[in-house]
């Protein structure tokens, strides 16, 4: 949410979503701040058919990490110390959204000048959300298979293409 | 002169926006919680329709909503009333501009066919009703995500694409903002715009304008880029020289679904299905078109099989010679809104400042928020420019120009930049390198889709 100033409340094209920053997707193809969680998908280092589905809840910082076949991640093993997948997920989120936005979403109180998200998280364990996060990832991928359209889509006048992130 | 239109302030404009703001404010807190002040605002809105064909329905719907009965039909009337007011604002602004330009605009005449209807629209209406009742302040993660299934289903149906793209962009903003109750500022007018447009589109029998095949030479003026997390669209503005000697202002648009991590110059890769379109933009070439459907709104329904790229033509030259007398097309009645005004204009002989052009006696703002990362135009180039091809837009009570192309002098050398220059990839070394790195996103995600989808 980027809206600033009273005038923006009465602007039809007030920008609402800050553009995401480019990042490498090979390790972590999918990250989102959604449904009260930082969640996403981390590619397995050893098996191209397998991915890990990892999430951190906002507020109580509950961790979850499972494979797409719903096996628990050995690194996390139901504990509250982040595994490599969760660390990769957090790094990707910070690269994509910036540390401030991720910390704000997770309600993490970062010590002054802290550059590491984990220093502001008091982690616990959380229920397995792999199935819903993974289906979210499949929906995400499915966009790449939606055919293009030449409809004039007049409503897109409300959505100017993202500018260069300046300043 | 254009200066007259830039200075003009149509009568009734402030009164119209006061009524619109009153309605928009009730959507902040939700139709389930209408206090006396907001009830009075809605009743003023109803009173403004006295004597119009909508009067009885607006009075009835607002009376019922204030009394606590919020049905789909009442909401459609509410969105319709808002749309009628904004349509009047649109007409006053565009009429003034046309008069100042000496622009001829074709009247709206061709009857439109009703669109397909179906259960998907009902799903959309149901989510929009839930939003209106909860109000923006009542939007939590669950309400924000409530339209997701409808959007997925609409995306799978070509006839539902327009509503799907709008709802998906709107829902993404609500999800990114949820829980909205905790926010200092809410985009009150924007969300009311998106909500009411979606609600009208979700009505059974929303009219679809008719198309007729067109022939001629399409001369490019410039390209405007649109984007939200799951769509990227290039909309070319140009002139169509018909075999009969007429010159008409037209647009052609190609759009692709995408995801948020594909943005900036690499988003052009998503438009791979349109090589003729992209090559014409990148090479600033004319396009010979044969039998391509053209709808009454001046929109060509782009079809690569009806298009052949021709010789290179300088858009500035086209604008100097032909733009002034070209015949413009009208907006579809239900699309009329100040935010859809995007009138091609050529500005020359101005003094460029960092955020505005002094045209001699009148200053026009430059919309620097509409300089996309996917094109080469920068604020510095605009500030150094001597000529600008752009779109005149009206926002926040004033006119502003969105540059689509500039001629500038940089280090004593002439430079020309068009938004479409990078349609086949950035032509500038640093941007090309960044695009090559970011562009692998498309490949990585396609590989993942190939392995994980359809299992």
């Amino acid at each position: 949410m980027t809206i600033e100033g009273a005038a923006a409340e009465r602007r039809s094209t007030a920008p609402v979503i800050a553009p995401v920053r480019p990042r490498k997707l090979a390790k972590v193809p999918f990250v989102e701040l959604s449904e009260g969680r930082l969640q996403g998908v981390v590619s397995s280092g050893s098996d191209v058919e397998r991915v890990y589905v990892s999430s951190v809840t906002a507020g109580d910082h509950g961790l979850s990490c499972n494979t797409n076949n719903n096996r628990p991640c050995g690194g996390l093993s139901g504990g509250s110390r982040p595994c490599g997948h969760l660390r990769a997920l957090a790094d990707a989120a910070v690269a994509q959204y910036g540390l401030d936005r991720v910390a704000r979403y997770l309600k993490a109180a970062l010590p002054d000048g802290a550059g590491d998200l984990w220093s502001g998280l008091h982690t616990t364990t959380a229920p397995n959300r792999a199935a819903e996060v993974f289906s979210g990832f499949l929906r995400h991928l499915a966009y790449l298979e939606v055919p293009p359209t030449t409809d004039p889509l007049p409503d897109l006048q409300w959505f100017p293409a993202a500018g260069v992130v300046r300043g | 002169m254009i200066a007259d239109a830039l200075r003009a302030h149509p009568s009734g404009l402030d009164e119209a926006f006061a009524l619109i703001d009153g309605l928009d404010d009730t959507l902040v807190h939700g139709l389930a919680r209408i206090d006396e002040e907001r009830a009075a605002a809605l009743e003023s809105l109803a009173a403004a329709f006295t004597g119009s064909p909508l009067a009885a329905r607006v009075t009835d719907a607002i009376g019922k909503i204030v009394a606590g009965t919020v049905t789909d039909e009442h909401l459609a009337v509410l969105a319709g009333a808002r749309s009628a007011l904004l349509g009047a604002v649109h007409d006053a602004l565009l009429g003034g501009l046309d008069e100042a330009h000496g622009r001829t605009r074709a009247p709206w005449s061709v009857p439109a066919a009703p669109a397909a209807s179906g259960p998907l629209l009902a799903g959309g209406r149901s989510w929009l009703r839930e939003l209106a009742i909860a109000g923006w302040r009542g939007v939590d993660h669950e309400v924000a995500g409530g339209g997701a299934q409808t959007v997925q289903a609409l995306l799978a149906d070509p006839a539902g694409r327009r509503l799907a793209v709008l709802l998906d962009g709107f829902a993404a903003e609500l999800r990114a903002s949820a829980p909205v109750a905790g926010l200092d500022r809410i985009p009150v007018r924007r969300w009311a715009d998106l909500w009411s447009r979606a609600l009208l589109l979700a009505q059974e029998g929303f009219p679809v304008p008719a198309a007729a095949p067109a022939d001629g030479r399409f001369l490019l003026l410039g390209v405007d880029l649109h984007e939200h997390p799951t769509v990227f669209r290039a909309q070319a503005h140009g002139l169509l020289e018909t075999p009969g000697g007429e010159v008409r202002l037209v647009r052609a648009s190609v759009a692709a679904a995408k995801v948020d991590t594909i943005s900036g110059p690499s988003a052009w890769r998503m438009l791979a299905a349109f090589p003729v379109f992209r090559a014409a933009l990148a090479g600033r070439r004319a396009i010979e078109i044969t039998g391509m459907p053209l709808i009454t709104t001046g929109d060509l329904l782009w079809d690569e099989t009806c298009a052949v790229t021709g010789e290179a033509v300088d858009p500035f030259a086209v604008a100097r010679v032909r733009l002034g007398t070209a015949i413009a097309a009208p907006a579809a009645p239900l699309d009329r809104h100040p935010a859809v005004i995007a009138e091609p204009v050529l500005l020359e002989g101005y003094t460029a400042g960092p955020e505005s052009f002094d045209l001699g006696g009148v200053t026009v703002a430059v919309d620097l928020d509409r300089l996309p990362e996917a094109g080469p135009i920068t604020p510095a180039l605009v500030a150094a420019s001597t000529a600008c091809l752009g779109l005149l837009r009206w926002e926040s009570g004033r006119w502003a120009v969105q540059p689509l192309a500039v001629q500038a002098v940089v280090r004593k050398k002439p430079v020309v930049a068009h938004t479409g220059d990078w349609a086949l990839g950035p032509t500038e070394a640093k941007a090309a390198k960044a695009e090559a790195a970011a562009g692998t996103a498309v490949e990585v995600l396609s590989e993942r889709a190939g392995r994980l989808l359809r299992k």
Side-chain angles (χ1 to χ4, degrees), chain B residues 165-214:
Chain B
V165 169
L166 171 57
L167 285 178
D168 215 12
F170 183 29
E173 294 188 4
L174 294 175
R175 281 200 305 274
S177 309
V180 180
L183 297 181
D184 295 336
R185 299 267 182 215
I186 291 176
V188 180
R189 183 172 298 163
R190 176 177 177 80
W191 283 355
D193 280 351
L194 301 181
W195 175 84
S196 49
R197 290 180 78 79
L199 196 76
L200 292 180
L201 274 171
Q203 300 303 311
E204 309 291 333
F206 186 91
V208 174

Side-chain angles (χ1 to χ4, degrees), chain B residues 33-66:
Chain B
R33 281 172 294 276
I34 297 181
D35 62 13
E36 276 181 32
E37 190 189 338
R38 289 175 209 122
L42 287 182
E43 277 147 16
S44 314
L45 175 70
F49 283 85
T50 307
S52 87
L54 285 174
R57 295 189 68 181
V58 173
T59 305
D60 178 56
I62 283 181
K64 295 275 173 44
I65 287 170
V66 170

Side-chain angles (χ1 to χ4, degrees), chain B residues 41-209:
Chain B
L42 287 182
E43 277 147 16
S44 314
L45 175 70
F49 283 85
T50 307
S52 87
L54 285 174
R57 295 189 68 181
V58 173
T59 305
D60 178 56
I62 283 181
K64 295 275 173 44
I65 287 170
V66 170
T69 313
V70 183
T71 66
D72 278 1
E73 195 193 336
H74 299 149
L75 290 178
V77 174
L78 196 65
R82 188 178 186 279
S83 168
L85 277 172
L86 284 157
V89 172
H90 166 277
D91 293 354
L93 290 166
L94 191 59
L97 193 63
D98 282 349
E99 200 180 318
H101 267 151
R103 168 85 61 221
T104 306
R105 189 171 299 272
W108 183 262
S109 58
V110 178
S117 56
L120 294 180
L121 297 180
R125 289 198 301 273
S126 148
W127 180 57
L128 293 165
R129 185 178 62 226
E130 190 186 356
L131 286 175
I133 291 171
W136 312 134
R137 288 266 175 229
V139 171
D140 56 16
H141 295 301
E142 198 185 329
V143 176
Q149 276 194 336
T150 297
V151 170
Q152 297 308 314
L154 283 167
L155 270 175
D157 171 12
R161 189 64 171 268
R162 179 176 171 189
L163 179 59
V165 169
L166 171 57
L167 285 178
D168 215 12
F170 183 29
E173 294 188 4
L174 294 175
R175 281 200 305 274
S177 309
V180 180
L183 297 181
D184 295 336
R185 299 267 182 215
I186 291 176
V188 180
R189 183 172 298 163
R190 176 177 177 80
W191 283 355
D193 280 351
L194 301 181
W195 175 84
S196 49
R197 290 180 78 79
L199 196 76
L200 292 180
L201 274 171
Q203 300 303 311
E204 309 291 333
F206 186 91
V208 174

Side-chain angles (χ1 to χ4, degrees), chain A residues 10-99:
Chain A
R10 303 295 179 194
R11 254 187 86 187
S12 287
T13 53
V16 176
I17 301 180
V20 304
R21 305 172 189 186
R23 65 176 182 86
K24 291 202 163 63
L25 296 184
K27 176 85 178 145
V28 184
F30 177 55
V31 165
E32 64 175 356
L33 298 170
S34 183
E35 297 167 61
R37 294 186 291 272
L38 159 60
Q39 53 193 25
V41 166
V42 183
S43 300
S44 161
S46 55
D47 179 355
V48 289
E49 303 286 340
R50 190 194 304 157
V51 292
Y52 286 85
V53 184
S54 314
S55 64
V56 183
T57 59
D60 49 8
H61 308 154
L63 307 182
S64 155
C65 186
N66 298 273
T67 70
N68 52 322
N69 297 325
N70 239 346
R71 300 228 171 86
C73 161
L76 181 66
S77 61
S80 60
R81 284 167 55 87
C83 57
H85 308 118
L86 277 159
R87 289 191 176 276
L89 176 76
D91 289 348
V94 168
Q96 183 163 322
Y97 299 112
L99 181 61

